Amino acid sequence: MDPMIGRTIDSYKILEVLGRGGMGVVYKAVDTTLDRDVAIKMMDVLIATDPNFLKRFQSEAKALAKLQNPNIVSIFALRQTEFGICIVMEFVKGKTLADVLKQSVLLPIPRVIHIFKQLLTALDHAHKGGVIHRDIKPGNVMLAEGDVVKVTDFGLAKIQRGAVSTVTMGTAGTLYYMSPEQIRGLGQVDHRGDIYSAGMALYECLTGRVPFNADDSDFAVAQMIVEGKIPPPDKLNPSLPKELVKIVLKSIDKDPARRYQAAAEMVAALAQFGASMKPGQYKLAEAPTIVSSVASEPVVAHPARKPVPVRLYATIGAAAVVLLVTYFLVRPLVFPDEGLLTIRTNPPGGRIYVDNVLAEKSPVVNYGVDPGARRLTAVWGQSRFDTTVTVERGKAVNVLLALRKPAEQPKSSIDPGTASSSPPTENVSVPETKEVAMGTLVLEAVPFGEVKVDDGDYRSAEGGIRVPVPPGSRTVTFKGRSGMTKETRLHVGAGETNGAKCYFSGEIRVVTTLTDGKSFAWASIAVDGVPQDKTTPATLQLPSGRYKIGVSRQGFDAIPKEQIVTLEPSFDGPRKVPVSFKLRAH
């Protein structure tokens, strides 16, 4: 039994443990003076003995105490006791939203809207008072009787991040709801980060899960949030109304400027949607049929969630849909549906139209088109040529459109580049076409990234793709999600296969020694100003990019204070970069 049970702190008698977290233990207690139940959060002794933490804690607690809102857990007192520092708070009888979600039953949409209107109203009140929560998640949303929302732990994430190195922020349960700018440690993190977190919690309530793999590391989850593509919630729950999906997607947009700019705006959007609902219009079954696309970012149930029960016929139907989706997504990688056109003009630079759609000025290289008869038009000023070529699936056709004689200048002729989207109307040459056997490039970006061949468009190369190309030397450009690129030249013959794999990740090995250069000493590590759950010596696994690495330890100065490290993409495997600091005692 917890040794605090039965003790009296000031006038509060400890009754039972309500929960344990990264900052300490929460107890249920009774205020013997006022005869009411309260909750007491006792700070961890290792944290509370740090003077910097105490200063931040006291300052933040004063701001939190000013938040008087029916949907925010009230703070009654801040006490420095013989057992350490503690907060006396309002006791809420009920369950957290996380507990409700663990029951594996999707909440009715009207109930979800009712809950999140209250949550966002609480956030709006806090934001107007200059307080940002920074850790909105279902576990911090209490549901009292009648589904009255009570938001807990307001502002404590801010205190926690500034505490000593024994405090960790990298727990997956919190990471799932963190905004991209919060993960990256950007200086402009503001109240819109709370809106993102609320939107991700709304996503989970509407689908029964979060859009991450159960076995993903913190690094993989963070990379997905910052650089990946979150699938829309109706991909997991097709019964969701489109209007509600739009609200969720706007709230979790990677760019804070494209999210709701105030929590009140999102409240209004939910209220408008709720008002438009008819009774029973969006009544959901106990569990929707979930459709996953294996060719996109994987989406699985919340790691702590029990499997959602699905009836046999729904399971068979879902499996059939998955197989069909898989077939149509994977088949083009093995059996390309498109043909390729390479079109040049003589004289060079003529504008090229494919089926009356402007492609670009010649040369047009590896222009993907559907199989069949394709109408080609070349335009030089007010001269033009029209012809038709037949393109077969998986094959390339080279076309030369040559201007053999000056064209008459009809008065009705108009330059499509300046006044019209359709080309002029005079034939002046004969095309020369040549069918070319294809080669294949096998290209992959690890763990994430895109690739383009020659002047083509970028396409995802995660997991590897096969690209049919005309034979010859091809310029292949890989691009990571940070924007960094890596280029190579690959030669492929007719019927041959060649390829490349580009790694957009690496390792930074951080080591600290004392100023004598010989004695190793530990220190806490920060990346771009964000403390990590690691102490030196340690290896950081990060995507390709430019990072600011720093170390810190009480009583010591780091030399240098920070170092800039660039992890370049590589064809030889993940880059490994050593970084060393010296520690000098004050």
Side-chain angles (χ1 to χ4, degrees):
M1 188 172 84
D2 190 294
M4 294 298 296
I5 303 299
R7 292 181 179 269
T8 299
I9 301 175
D10 289 352
S11 60
Y12 306 104
K13 184 177 181 179
I14 307 297
L15 301 178
E16 60 181 287
V17 175
L18 294 177
R20 300 179 185 273
M23 296 183 70
V25 184
V26 181
Y27 297 96
K28 179 182 178 181
V30 60
D31 185 337
T32 58
T33 301
L34 299 177
D35 192 23
R36 65 176 178 181
D37 290 336
V38 296
I40 294 182
K41 173 166 282 192
M42 295 291 302
M43 297 295 109
D44 187 284
V45 175
L46 293 177
I47 300 174
T49 54
D50 177 58
N52 292 327
F53 169 80
L54 287 175
K55 183 178 180 180
R56 292 170 59 89
F57 184 87
Q58 291 167 350
S59 175
E60 191 71 15
K62 291 178 182 178
L64 298 176
K66 296 178 182 178
L67 297 180
Q68 299 298 318
N69 183 276
N71 297 125
I72 297 176
V73 171
S74 298
I75 292 182
F76 297 147
L78 176 66
R79 293 283 189 267
Q80 180 72 52
T81 74
E82 59 180 310
F83 302 104
I85 193 169
C86 68
I87 301 176
V88 183
M89 302 177 293
E90 173 187 3
F91 172 74
V92 180
K93 184 178 180 180
K95 296 181 178 180
T96 68
L97 182 57
D99 293 332
V100 174
L101 291 175
K102 287 177 183 177
Q103 296 174 358
S104 301
V105 177
L106 285 178
L107 307 182
I109 289 179
R111 185 184 182 192
V112 173
I113 293 175
H114 174 67
I115 291 171
F116 276 82
K117 283 168 61 179
Q118 296 178 78
L119 167 60
L120 290 159
T121 299
L123 291 177
D124 188 63
H125 174 80
H127 295 164
K128 288 177 179 177
V131 178
I132 303 172
H133 193 289
R134 291 179 172 83
D135 195 20
I136 288 294
K137 58 184 178 181
N140 281 336
V141 179
M142 294 292 300
L143 297 179
E145 186 178 356
D147 272 347
V148 175
V149 167
K150 295 284 187 177
V151 184
T152 66
D153 278 359
F154 244 106
L156 296 186
K158 178 181 179 181
I159 305 171
Q160 190 176 8
R161 185 169 292 125
V164 294
S165 60
T166 52
V167 179
T168 64
M169 288 296 294
T171 57
T174 291
L175 184 60
Y176 292 144
Y177 310 95
M178 290 176 68
S179 66
E181 64 270 22
Q182 192 175 2
I183 291 175
R184 294 168 61 191
L186 299 180
Q188 65 268 30
V189 174
D190 56 25
H191 64 282
R192 293 171 295 184
D194 281 352
I195 293 173
Y196 178 98
S197 300
M200 189 58 75
L202 177 59
Y203 185 115
E204 182 178 5
C205 286
L206 295 172
T207 63
R209 57 193 66 194
V210 289
F212 308 106
N213 274 329
D215 56 352
D216 276 348
S217 65
D218 281 5
F219 169 72
V221 172
Q223 189 174 44
M224 177 74 166
I225 294 171
V226 174
E227 301 179 348
K229 183 179 180 181
I230 302 295
D234 54 347
K235 289 292 185 183
L236 280 70
N237 183 354
S239 65
L240 290 176
K242 297 298 181 183
E243 297 85 350
L244 192 53
V245 171
K246 290 178 182 178
I247 293 174
V248 175
L249 293 179
K250 183 172 183 178
S251 67
I252 61 171
D253 197 294
K254 293 187 188 301
D255 184 354
R258 293 200 292 263
R259 292 178 207 149
Y260 294 101
Q261 296 303 290
E265 292 182 15
M266 191 170 174
V267 173
L270 288 172
Q272 183 178 3
F273 170 76
S276 68
M277 292 177 58
K278 299 177 182 178
Q281 181 180 6
Y282 299 120
K283 185 177 180 181
L284 301 179
E286 288 188 357
T289 300
I290 305 300
V291 180
S292 302
S293 171
V294 298
S296 60
E297 285 85 353
V299 182
V300 299
H302 192 293
R305 193 66 40 76
K306 297 178 181 178
V308 178
V310 181
R311 295 175 181 174
L312 180 59
Y313 68 85
T315 303
I316 296 173
V321 172
V322 170
L323 289 174
L324 287 172
V325 171
T326 303
Y327 171 75
F328 285 110
L329 289 175
V330 175
R331 187 176 65 89
L333 303 181
V334 183
F335 306 104
D337 279 332
E338 291 187 339
L340 296 178
L341 282 171
T342 295
I343 309 167
R344 292 176 172 81
T345 62
N346 185 16
R351 286 192 301 279
I352 303 297
Y353 293 78
V354 178
D355 293 333
N356 282 332
V357 176
L358 178 63
E360 56 187 68
K361 289 187 178 181
S362 68
V364 175
V365 180
N366 293 340
Y367 188 87
V369 295
D370 292 332
R374 305 268 70 90
R375 184 169 184 247
L376 307 182
T377 304
V379 175
W380 302 263
Q382 292 187 347
S383 300
R384 62 168 282 167
F385 175 78
D386 289 289
T387 190
T388 300
V389 297
T390 300
V391 181
E392 296 182 24
R393 179 169 63 86
K395 293 187 178 180
V397 175
N398 286 346
V399 181
L400 174 64
L401 303 179
L403 180 62
R404 295 184 176 178
K405 63 180 180 178
E408 297 180 2
Q409 305 298 324
K411 293 182 180 180
S412 61
S413 181
I414 299 175
D415 185 349
T418 60
S420 172
S421 62
S422 60
T425 57
E426 183 177 354
N427 295 338
V428 296
S429 67
V430 177
E432 298 176 5
T433 64
K434 179 182 179 182
E435 186 176 297
V436 181
M438 302 287 277
T440 301
L441 293 178
V442 180
L443 309 171
E444 183 177 2
V446 181
F448 306 106
E450 298 176 308
V451 66
K452 71 174 182 178
V453 179
D454 295 330
D455 295 323
D457 296 328
Y458 279 108
R459 54 190 293 191
S460 174
E462 177 187 349
I465 59 172
R466 300 172 65 87
V467 183
V469 296
S473 293
R474 301 292 160 201
T475 300
V476 179
T477 307
F478 289 88
K479 182 173 71 173
R481 294 185 176 177
S482 65
M484 300 186 74
T485 60
K486 185 76 172 177
E487 186 176 291
T488 187
R489 291 280 291 179
L490 296 176
H491 183 85
V492 61
E496 296 179 352
T497 299
N498 199 354
K501 179 186 292 187
C502 190
Y503 295 85
F504 286 99
S505 64
E507 298 178 353
I508 300 177
R509 178 69 175 176
V510 186
V511 178
T512 51
T513 60
L514 297 179
T515 49
D516 61 12
K518 299 178 181 178
S519 304
F520 285 88
W522 69 267
S524 300
I525 303 173
V527 178
D528 293 336
V530 179
Q532 306 294 298
D533 186 21
K534 290 179 181 290
T535 57
T536 60
T539 299
L540 306 175
Q541 294 183 332
L542 297 168
S544 297
R546 188 172 181 267
Y547 300 95
K548 182 169 61 177
I549 308 299
V551 298
S552 62
R553 180 177 175 181
Q554 287 187 333
F556 291 84
D557 293 324
I559 306 173
K561 186 176 180 180
E562 295 174 330
Q563 296 189 50
I564 303 298
V565 178
T566 300
L567 287 176
E568 298 282 353
S570 170
F571 294 121
D572 302 322
R575 288 292 176 90
K576 298 182 179 181
V577 179
V579 179
S580 62
F581 294 84
K582 292 185 178 180
L583 298 178
R584 179 176 59 199
H586 288 167

Short mmCIF file of all heavy atoms in Angstrom, two decimals, residues 196-222:
data_model
loop_
_atom_site.label_atom_id
_atom_site.label_comp_id
_atom_site.label_asym_id
_atom_site.label_seq_id
_atom_site.Cartn_x
_atom_site.Cartn_y
_atom_site.Cartn_z
N TYR A 196 -4.38 21.50 -32.67
CA TYR A 196 -3.95 20.27 -33.35
C TYR A 196 -4.20 19.05 -32.45
O TYR A 196 -4.74 18.04 -32.88
CB TYR A 196 -2.48 20.36 -33.71
CG TYR A 196 -1.94 19.11 -34.38
CD1 TYR A 196 -1.83 19.03 -35.76
CD2 TYR A 196 -1.53 18.01 -33.63
CE1 TYR A 196 -1.35 17.88 -36.38
CE2 TYR A 196 -1.06 16.85 -34.23
CZ TYR A 196 -0.96 16.80 -35.61
OH TYR A 196 -0.50 15.65 -36.21
N SER A 197 -3.78 19.15 -31.18
CA SER A 197 -3.92 18.01 -30.26
C SER A 197 -5.38 17.65 -30.07
O SER A 197 -5.74 16.46 -30.03
CB SER A 197 -3.27 18.36 -28.92
OG SER A 197 -1.89 18.65 -29.09
N ALA A 198 -6.24 18.67 -29.94
CA ALA A 198 -7.67 18.40 -29.80
C ALA A 198 -8.21 17.74 -31.07
O ALA A 198 -9.05 16.84 -31.00
CB ALA A 198 -8.42 19.70 -29.52
N GLY A 199 -7.72 18.18 -32.23
CA GLY A 199 -8.15 17.58 -33.49
C GLY A 199 -7.74 16.13 -33.59
O GLY A 199 -8.50 15.28 -34.10
N MET A 200 -6.54 15.79 -33.10
CA MET A 200 -6.10 14.39 -33.15
C MET A 200 -6.91 13.54 -32.17
O MET A 200 -7.22 12.37 -32.46
CB MET A 200 -4.61 14.29 -32.82
CG MET A 200 -4.02 12.91 -33.05
SD MET A 200 -4.22 12.29 -34.74
CE MET A 200 -2.98 13.26 -35.60
N ALA A 201 -7.27 14.11 -31.03
CA ALA A 201 -8.14 13.38 -30.10
C ALA A 201 -9.53 13.17 -30.71
O ALA A 201 -10.15 12.11 -30.54
CB ALA A 201 -8.24 14.14 -28.77
N LEU A 202 -10.02 14.18 -31.43
CA LEU A 202 -11.30 14.06 -32.13
C LEU A 202 -11.22 12.96 -33.19
O LEU A 202 -12.15 12.15 -33.36
CB LEU A 202 -11.68 15.40 -32.76
CG LEU A 202 -12.96 15.44 -33.62
CD1 LEU A 202 -14.16 15.03 -32.80
CD2 LEU A 202 -13.14 16.83 -34.21
N TYR A 203 -10.11 12.91 -33.92
CA TYR A 203 -9.84 11.86 -34.91
C TYR A 203 -10.00 10.48 -34.26
O TYR A 203 -10.67 9.59 -34.80
CB TYR A 203 -8.42 12.06 -35.44
CG TYR A 203 -7.98 11.15 -36.56
CD1 TYR A 203 -7.70 11.68 -37.83
CD2 TYR A 203 -7.81 9.79 -36.38
CE1 TYR A 203 -7.28 10.86 -38.87
CE2 TYR A 203 -7.37 8.97 -37.41
CZ TYR A 203 -7.11 9.51 -38.65
OH TYR A 203 -6.69 8.70 -39.68
N GLU A 204 -9.39 10.32 -33.10
CA GLU A 204 -9.42 9.03 -32.43
C GLU A 204 -10.83 8.67 -31.98
O GLU A 204 -11.26 7.51 -32.08
CB GLU A 204 -8.48 9.05 -31.22
CG GLU A 204 -8.41 7.72 -30.49
CD GLU A 204 -7.43 7.74 -29.33
OE1 GLU A 204 -6.87 8.81 -29.03
OE2 GLU A 204 -7.24 6.68 -28.71
N CYS A 205 -11.60 9.66 -31.49
CA CYS A 205 -12.96 9.38 -31.03
C CYS A 205 -13.85 8.95 -32.19
O CYS A 205 -14.76 8.14 -32.00
CB CYS A 205 -13.54 10.62 -30.37
SG CYS A 205 -12.88 10.96 -28.73
N LEU A 206 -13.61 9.49 -33.38
CA LEU A 206 -14.47 9.19 -34.53
C LEU A 206 -14.08 7.91 -35.25
O LEU A 206 -14.87 7.35 -36.00
CB LEU A 206 -14.42 10.36 -35.52
CG LEU A 206 -15.02 11.69 -35.02
CD1 LEU A 206 -14.74 12.80 -36.02
CD2 LEU A 206 -16.51 11.55 -34.76
N THR A 207 -12.85 7.44 -35.04
CA THR A 207 -12.40 6.23 -35.74
C THR A 207 -12.09 5.08 -34.79
O THR A 207 -11.97 3.94 -35.22
CB THR A 207 -11.13 6.54 -36.55
OG1 THR A 207 -10.07 6.91 -35.65
CG2 THR A 207 -11.36 7.67 -37.53
N GLY A 208 -11.93 5.37 -33.50
CA GLY A 208 -11.59 4.34 -32.54
C GLY A 208 -10.11 4.04 -32.45
O GLY A 208 -9.71 3.11 -31.76
N ARG A 209 -9.29 4.85 -33.10
CA ARG A 209 -7.86 4.56 -33.12
C ARG A 209 -7.06 5.79 -33.53
O ARG A 209 -7.63 6.77 -34.02
CB ARG A 209 -7.56 3.41 -34.08
CG ARG A 209 -8.05 3.67 -35.50
CD ARG A 209 -8.03 2.40 -36.33
NE ARG A 209 -8.99 1.45 -35.83
CZ ARG A 209 -9.03 0.17 -36.16
NH1 ARG A 209 -8.15 -0.31 -37.00
NH2 ARG A 209 -9.94 -0.64 -35.67
N VAL A 210 -5.75 5.72 -33.32
CA VAL A 210 -4.87 6.77 -33.81
C VAL A 210 -4.17 6.27 -35.07
O VAL A 210 -4.01 5.06 -35.25
CB VAL A 210 -3.83 7.16 -32.74
CG1 VAL A 210 -4.48 7.91 -31.60
CG2 VAL A 210 -3.07 5.94 -32.23
N PRO A 211 -3.75 7.16 -35.96
CA PRO A 211 -3.22 6.72 -37.26
C PRO A 211 -1.74 6.35 -37.25
O PRO A 211 -0.96 6.83 -38.06
CB PRO A 211 -3.46 7.95 -38.14
CG PRO A 211 -3.35 9.09 -37.21
CD PRO A 211 -3.91 8.62 -35.90
N PHE A 212 -1.34 5.49 -36.28
CA PHE A 212 0.05 5.08 -36.21
C PHE A 212 0.12 3.58 -35.99
O PHE A 212 -0.84 2.95 -35.53
CB PHE A 212 0.78 5.80 -35.06
CG PHE A 212 0.62 7.29 -35.10
CD1 PHE A 212 -0.21 7.94 -34.20
CD2 PHE A 212 1.28 8.05 -36.05
CE1 PHE A 212 -0.37 9.32 -34.24
CE2 PHE A 212 1.12 9.42 -36.11
CZ PHE A 212 0.29 10.06 -35.21
N ASN A 213 1.29 2.99 -36.29
CA ASN A 213 1.50 1.57 -36.07
C ASN A 213 1.70 1.27 -34.60
O ASN A 213 2.37 2.03 -33.88
CB ASN A 213 2.73 1.09 -36.85
CG ASN A 213 2.38 0.72 -38.27
OD1 ASN A 213 1.28 0.27 -38.56
ND2 ASN A 213 3.32 0.94 -39.18
N ALA A 214 1.18 0.16 -34.15
CA ALA A 214 1.30 -0.22 -32.74
C ALA A 214 2.76 -0.42 -32.33
O ALA A 214 3.12 -0.18 -31.18
CB ALA A 214 0.50 -1.49 -32.46
N ASP A 215 3.61 -0.86 -33.26
CA ASP A 215 5.00 -1.14 -32.91
C ASP A 215 5.94 -0.03 -33.37
O ASP A 215 7.16 -0.21 -33.37
CB ASP A 215 5.44 -2.48 -33.51
CG ASP A 215 5.25 -2.54 -35.03
OD1 ASP A 215 4.64 -1.60 -35.58
OD2 ASP A 215 5.71 -3.51 -35.64
N ASP A 216 5.41 1.12 -33.77
CA ASP A 216 6.27 2.23 -34.18
C ASP A 216 7.05 2.78 -33.00
O ASP A 216 6.53 2.91 -31.89
CB ASP A 216 5.43 3.37 -34.78
CG ASP A 216 5.12 3.13 -36.25
OD1 ASP A 216 5.74 2.23 -36.84
OD2 ASP A 216 4.26 3.84 -36.79
N SER A 217 8.31 3.12 -33.25
CA SER A 217 9.11 3.80 -32.23
C SER A 217 8.66 5.25 -32.11
O SER A 217 7.95 5.77 -32.98
CB SER A 217 10.59 3.75 -32.62
OG SER A 217 10.81 4.48 -33.82
N ASP A 218 9.10 5.92 -31.04
CA ASP A 218 8.80 7.34 -30.89
C ASP A 218 9.33 8.12 -32.10
O ASP A 218 8.69 9.06 -32.58
CB ASP A 218 9.44 7.89 -29.62
CG ASP A 218 8.62 7.54 -28.38
OD1 ASP A 218 7.64 6.80 -28.52
OD2 ASP A 218 8.98 7.99 -27.28
N PHE A 219 10.51 7.73 -32.58
CA PHE A 219 11.10 8.40 -33.73
C PHE A 219 10.21 8.26 -34.96
O PHE A 219 9.97 9.24 -35.69
CB PHE A 219 12.49 7.81 -34.02
CG PHE A 219 13.07 8.25 -35.33
CD1 PHE A 219 13.53 9.53 -35.52
CD2 PHE A 219 13.15 7.36 -36.40
CE1 PHE A 219 14.05 9.94 -36.74
CE2 PHE A 219 13.66 7.76 -37.61
CZ PHE A 219 14.13 9.05 -37.78
N ALA A 220 9.69 7.05 -35.20
CA ALA A 220 8.85 6.82 -36.37
C ALA A 220 7.54 7.61 -36.27
O ALA A 220 7.07 8.17 -37.26
CB ALA A 220 8.56 5.33 -36.53
N VAL A 221 6.96 7.66 -35.06
CA VAL A 221 5.73 8.42 -34.88
C VAL A 221 5.98 9.90 -35.11
O VAL A 221 5.22 10.59 -35.80
CB VAL A 221 5.15 8.19 -33.47
CG1 VAL A 221 3.96 9.12 -33.21
CG2 VAL A 221 4.71 6.74 -33.31
N ALA A 222 7.08 10.42 -34.52
CA ALA A 222 7.40 11.84 -34.69
C ALA A 222 7.64 12.17 -36.15
O ALA A 222 7.21 13.22 -36.65
CB ALA A 222 8.63 12.19 -33.85
#
